[in-house]
Amino acid sequence: ATVTVPIFSLNGGAIAVAEAERRHQRELRERLAIATAREVTAAVAQVEATGARAQELRLALAPLDQEIDALLAEPQTAVATDPVKLLLLDERRVIAHRALIDASYAHRAAQIALEALIGGPL
């Protein structure tokens, strides 16, 4: 049995270049993976924050709606007999609903951004 062992390899430079390129590509993949993980983490945090805000507004708005409806149901209340007070209450309700709609929209946009990052639905 004979084994040939090259003592002087003329291909050393090409091998070193190939290994350096392989190391470089691996480092690029690792950096991309770290950047992607950071983006996903930030997107998840955004979804959680916007979802919490929308839920907070939803919970705060329900009693306001019930209170206004109860006041309007009683014809002898000052609110029901005073159109200015009624309009002011209704304006507050509309502002609160708009804030809820904005928060819900921000939450859905954050969900869509996260879905785009992870490549599919949540």
Side-chain angles (χ1 to χ4, degrees):
T2 3
V3 177
T4 308
V5 178
I7 296 174
F8 298 106
S9 176
L10 300 176
N11 199 14
I15 293 172
V17 168
E19 287 177 357
E21 179 63 26
R22 186 179 52 120
R23 277 192 309 272
H24 177 69
Q25 291 299 322
R26 186 181 70 234
E27 289 172 3
L28 289 177
R29 283 190 306 273
E30 288 172 357
R31 285 189 211 143
L32 180 61
I34 290 169
T36 303
R38 285 182 183 147
E39 287 179 22
V40 169
T41 301
V44 167
Q46 184 72 17
V47 167
E48 290 172 352
T50 56
R53 176 70 178 144
Q55 183 63 21
E56 175 186 311
L57 289 172
R58 194 172 292 112
L59 291 174
L61 188 58
L64 177 65
D65 282 340
Q66 291 172 354
E67 183 180 336
I68 291 173
D69 291 341
L71 287 173
L72 292 176
E74 298 177 25
Q76 67 272 19
T77 62
V79 173
T81 58
D82 187 358
V84 174
K85 286 183 182 179
L86 181 62
L87 287 174
L88 290 174
L89 279 175
D90 197 40
E91 180 185 25
R92 284 181 51 203
R93 186 185 346 200
V94 168
I95 290 170
H97 276 279
R98 290 179 91 184
L100 175 59
I101 290 169
D102 289 344
S104 298
Y105 177 79
H107 179 61
R108 186 61 190 134
Q111 287 177 325
I112 291 169
L114 178 59
E115 289 173 357
L117 276 175
I118 64 174
L122 296 174

